[in-house]
Amino acid sequence: MEQRSARTRWLIVFGLAILWVVVVLLRLSYLQLYRYSDYLARAQRQQQRIVEVSPKRGVIYDRNGRELAMSVSVDSCFADPDEISDPEMVASLLSRVLGTPVDELQEKLAESKTFVWIARKLPPETVSRIQALNLKGIYFQKENQRFYPEKTLAAHVLGYVDVDEHGLGGIEYALDKDIRGRPGRVLAYADARRRWYDRTQSAVDAGANVVLTLDENIQYIAEKELSAAIAQTHAKAGVIVVQDTNTGEPLAIANWPTFDANKPAASSDDSRMDRAVTAAYEPGSTFKLITLTGAIAEGITNPAEIIDCQLGLITVAGRLIHDWHPFGMLSVTQILEHSSDVGAIKLALRLGAPKFYHYMRAFGFGQITGIELPGENRGLLRQIDHWTPSSIGSLAMGQEVSVTPIQMVSAVSAIANGGMVYKPRVVREIRRGNAVQMIAAPDPQRALDPTTAATLRLMMEGVVNEGTGKSAALNGYSVAGKTGTAQKIDPATGRYSKTQYVASFIGFTPVNTPAVTILVAIDSPVGAHHGGQVGGPIFRRVAEQVLAYMAVPHDLPIIPEAQWAAHHRDDTETSEGDSDFIPMQTQAVSEEPVPAATSQTSQTIAFAEGEGVAVPDLAGQTVRGVTQACSKLGLTPVLVGSGIAVDQSPAAGTRLARGSRVTVRFGRSPGLVPALAREN
């Protein structure tokens, strides 16, 4: 009985052991097979910490390969609160170094038990000071920080990023997906006592590099002169745009006020505003270029036609409009040169609303240009059915329409380059490793024919030589341009202000082989406020430096500095409102078209035989040959068209004073094409 009882007990024990083993195996199988993922995730949450590291953004270059924006490696400080025995002491010590309130640091240390950022992307000197404290539980992690080596240079175009390297403005925002790349990750491991013992980091995929159309040197020139102008005029804001006339590519986009892209939080929203593309303004008299372009292109007038400007008064649909000066009889060229409102309105009335609207749209007004910068404003150009009866009078002189600087400079470039409107683009290339993606420019659109463009160029040259833009004249280069003085709307009254203006000047140089188009717009200057007074001198200073930097050949003789200074000065008498021009008011002149030779811009002083210099026979010569022949004699060539010289005025043999202008028209002659090819 006892043996049976002992055996029974052993069997029971053995059975229980087997049952226990089975239960354990079943439990282990359940945990390993069915709950593995859950418990693994729990373990990872307890033992691992994954920290995303900001990606390395691509480099932004100017057109010549100079770095405008890059990413550099810096240290960020984080804490493991479980390792910190005295959070108050640690917060107090860090507060002195970081300048962060103690209570804010204490909150951070209390919000997590494993990982918390203390400060991101610290300068090296701050990192050294924290390391010197030798605080337990305080660590550092490498991150990428965006760095703009030139600080404020082109800040509005480049934009800026937040602490996590997301683009927030300019190209940084517009091309964020390309530039940003993919972030890396840091995997940190902790033991059972919550102590960090190992870290691994996955590689960061760098973003694409971007090449802009901007030229760092031209951008610097534009920003330097704009800053000096703001200091001199005490203006509220300003813009300078320098554009390649023949491609539409911006070479410089300068804004004031500006900001340091490395410290965007220290600036105001107003300072970060890119006025060149987002701020629309009434263009004022610069818009008369569009009015006269339409009138001449449609053949309803010509530069020499005499218009009665009615002593500065005109009524449009019952609305009396006053000119800035009581002009009498002016040629169409003189209307542009001296910026007559009445003359422009009369031409617009002849042109008619439908055709006038057509030309405004053809030049791109009321539409976005498509430039790769965020927040572009399309401006304001109402459809004809929303015009009032007097709207055509307002539009003729640049009111009831708003434009952006980038729209205006692109429109004037079309006049300069022969009639083609190029869509401005600020991005040339996107580079991903060895792959280069060229950004193709959209096909240009023709806004006017080449003959009309040549006529407008000659008339705009008269604005600088004879009219309101004399202060923009250059020594050794021909300049064509237009001044503008636009009254701003007073928000309090809803009427045009009598004290707040936008003074502007827009022009290109050299006239017949333009290299750059430059727009200057100064918002609310104090004191002198006319376009010729304010914008003209700024244009001249920018153009002088840009042309020298680009090594553009002179197209006019260089006059000795003393002689030039005696005849050219920044003069308030050469702008709208204070012109030194005295119009004809009593002489009765027919409004029938007169020959071009009688217009003011074509008049020359003939000399008796033996006096002055004889005009050479220029027929059959190229543009270069004509320029060289005239320059040797001290004459100023005015070149119209392209090809070879087919006509000239005055005729060969006429004796003129040195400095007089000789107008030469170019065309194609089959018999002379081989000679032209050989010379070129």
Side-chain angles (χ1 to χ4, degrees):
M1 285 295 291
E2 290 181 3
Q3 289 182 344
R4 187 180 298 174
S5 177
R7 188 169 48 194
T8 301
R9 287 196 296 270
W10 276 109
L11 287 174
I12 293 172
V13 170
F14 182 74
L16 291 174
I18 294 297
L19 181 61
W20 177 82
V21 170
V22 171
V23 171
V24 170
L25 289 175
L26 289 174
R27 180 62 177 170
L28 287 174
S29 299
Y30 171 75
L31 294 176
Q32 290 292 327
L33 297 176
Y34 295 98
R35 299 297 304 276
Y36 173 80
S37 298
D38 181 42
Y39 282 100
L40 177 63
R42 290 188 190 184
Q44 288 177 339
R45 284 196 296 270
Q46 294 172 359
Q47 300 169 11
Q48 300 177 2
R49 179 73 178 188
I50 298 176
V51 181
E52 187 174 279
V53 178
S54 57
K56 186 174 183 179
R57 296 177 70 85
V59 180
I60 301 178
Y61 299 96
D62 84 334
R63 67 190 298 120
N64 299 312
R66 300 184 185 95
E67 294 174 329
L68 300 177
M70 64 186 76
S71 291
V72 295
S73 182
V74 295
D75 286 298
S76 291
C77 178
F78 71 93
D80 178 6
D82 255 6
E83 294 185 30
I84 299 174
S85 57
D86 190 348
E88 292 185 7
M89 182 270 291
V90 171
S92 178
L93 292 174
L94 291 176
S95 175
R96 297 173 189 175
V97 177
L98 298 173
T100 306
V102 175
D103 56 351
E104 183 178 325
L105 292 173
Q106 287 179 338
E107 277 185 32
K108 287 185 176 183
L109 294 174
E111 71 183 18
S112 174
K113 290 186 177 181
T114 58
F115 179 96
V116 63
W117 285 116
I118 297 298
R120 305 279 299 277
K121 302 179 181 181
L122 297 170
E125 57 272 17
T126 303
V127 173
S128 297
R129 292 178 63 189
I130 295 175
Q131 288 175 333
L133 296 175
N134 197 25
L135 297 172
K136 186 178 181 181
I138 299 298
Y139 303 96
F140 294 92
Q141 172 61 46
K142 290 290 184 183
E143 287 197 282
N144 293 301
Q145 182 178 34
R146 205 59 166 161
F147 177 61
Y148 303 90
E150 302 300 331
K151 298 181 180 179
T152 61
L153 190 78
H156 299 86
V157 175
L158 298 174
Y160 52 97
V161 300
D162 63 12
V163 70
D164 291 314
E165 300 286 283
H166 292 97
L168 295 181
I171 291 298
E172 296 278 27
Y173 174 81
L175 299 182
D176 187 60
K177 290 183 179 179
D178 295 295
I179 300 173
R180 178 172 167 76
R182 283 187 284 182
R185 291 185 174 184
V186 174
L187 180 60
Y189 298 91
D191 61 18
R193 296 186 178 182
R194 317 298 302 158
R195 292 177 299 188
W196 299 95
Y197 66 88
D198 192 17
R199 280 185 290 170
T200 60
Q201 181 172 340
S202 62
V204 176
D205 291 336
N209 299 330
V210 175
V211 180
L212 303 182
T213 64
L214 300 186
D215 186 300
E216 182 185 52
N217 290 323
I218 297 177
Q219 182 73 29
Y220 171 76
I221 291 168
E223 291 191 12
K224 178 190 67 173
E225 294 302 334
L226 180 58
S227 177
I230 295 295
Q232 181 180 4
T233 62
H234 306 288
K236 174 184 176 182
V239 174
I240 295 178
V241 178
V242 182
Q243 187 181 58
D244 184 323
T245 307
N246 302 296
T247 65
E249 294 182 347
L251 303 177
I253 299 177
N255 285 270
W256 184 273
T258 188
F259 69 101
D260 185 347
N262 295 301
K263 305 174 183 177
S267 59
S268 65
D269 292 342
D270 187 58
S271 297
R272 297 192 297 270
M273 178 182 180
D274 187 351
R275 288 172 167 77
V277 297
T278 63
Y281 67 102
E282 286 196 349
S285 292
T286 55
F287 206 71
K288 290 171 184 170
L289 292 171
I290 311 304
T291 307
L292 268 66
T293 294
I296 292 173
E298 292 297 319
I300 63 174
T301 189
N302 65 72
E305 181 184 359
I306 302 299
I307 304 292
D308 182 5
C309 294
Q310 304 176 182
L311 297 181
L313 295 174
I314 189 172
T315 301
V316 180
R319 173 189 167 200
L320 181 63
I321 298 176
H322 294 263
D323 212 333
W324 69 267
H325 191 92
F327 292 112
M329 298 295 184
L330 296 179
S331 69
V332 172
T333 294
Q334 291 170 335
I335 287 173
L336 187 67
E337 289 177 351
H338 303 291
S339 202
S340 169
D341 293 336
V342 172
I345 290 170
K346 295 185 81 169
L347 292 173
L349 290 170
R350 280 198 210 172
L351 181 62
K355 289 183 178 179
F356 191 13
Y357 180 78
H358 164 76
Y359 280 98
M360 289 187 280
R361 293 288 292 183
F363 277 102
F365 297 111
Q367 311 158 68
I368 60 172
T369 66
I371 192 170
E372 308 94 326
L373 292 173
E376 184 182 5
N377 192 329
R378 67 176 61 249
L380 173 65
L381 176 59
R382 294 178 297 171
Q383 295 184 352
I384 296 178
D385 53 3
H386 293 147
W387 290 13
T388 66
S390 66
S391 287
I392 193 168
S394 298
L395 289 162
M397 55 185 180
Q399 295 180 351
E400 289 192 27
V401 60
S402 67
V403 305
T404 63
I406 201 69
Q407 284 177 336
M408 197 70 210
V409 76
S410 298
V412 173
S413 284
I415 297 174
N417 66 35
M420 304 302 293
V421 177
Y422 287 87
K423 296 292 186 182
R425 60 189 179 107
V426 76
V427 178
R428 298 187 82 184
E429 300 174 11
I430 298 178
R431 301 174 178 175
R432 293 181 177 86
N434 296 324
V436 177
Q437 177 188 352
M438 300 295 296
I439 306 301
D443 293 334
Q445 302 296 315
R446 180 163 292 284
L448 70 161
D449 63 276
T451 302
T452 301
T455 301
L456 263 293
R457 289 198 298 269
L458 187 61
M459 294 171 68
M460 291 174 67
E461 186 180 13
V463 173
V464 176
N465 293 338
E466 310 290 344
T468 60
K470 291 179 181 178
S471 60
L474 297 173
N475 189 359
Y477 294 100
S478 58
V479 178
K482 183 67 187 79
T483 57
T485 307
Q487 291 175 284
K488 295 179 65 177
I489 299 292
D490 186 340
T493 64
R495 298 178 177 274
Y496 284 105
S497 171
K498 297 184 181 298
T499 58
Q500 299 292 306
Y501 301 86
V502 175
S504 63
F505 184 91
I506 187 166
F508 50 88
T509 180
V511 172
N512 293 293
T513 55
V516 290
T517 306
I518 302 173
L519 174 141
V520 177
I522 305 298
D523 185 357
S524 306
V526 177
H529 59 267
H530 293 291
Q533 296 171 302
V534 177
I538 302 171
F539 171 93
R540 188 193 70 238
R541 292 192 291 270
V542 172
E544 284 175 342
Q545 298 171 74
V546 170
L547 294 174
Y549 166 71
M550 296 176 66
V552 176
H554 291 275
D555 67 331
L556 296 179
I558 300 176
I559 300 173
E561 287 299 325
Q563 184 179 351
W564 177 264
H567 292 86
H568 296 82
R569 54 195 170 91
D570 297 350
D571 198 341
T572 60
E573 296 177 357
T574 61
S575 59
E576 305 103 316
D578 291 301
S579 174
D580 57 3
F581 174 73
I582 302 176
M584 298 177 291
Q585 297 181 358
T586 58
Q587 181 179 356
V589 181
S590 170
E591 288 194 15
E592 292 297 317
V594 296
T598 65
S599 72
Q600 179 171 330
T601 58
S602 301
Q603 288 178 347
T604 58
I605 302 175
F607 283 77
E609 186 174 354
E611 298 180 1
V613 294
V615 176
D617 185 357
L618 303 172
Q621 295 195 39
T622 63
V623 171
R624 183 189 305 169
V626 169
T627 302
Q628 291 175 345
C630 291
S631 297
K632 288 179 181 178
L633 298 173
L635 300 174
T636 302
V638 177
L639 313 177
V640 179
S642 61
I644 60 172
V646 296
D647 190 20
Q648 69 181 77
S649 177
T654 304
R655 305 195 74 82
L656 303 175
R658 292 184 184 275
S660 298
R661 290 191 290 176
V662 178
T663 302
V664 183
R665 185 167 62 86
F666 292 83
R668 291 290 180 185
S669 176
L672 292 175
V673 169
L676 175 63
R678 286 194 298 273
E679 179 171 340
N680 289 340

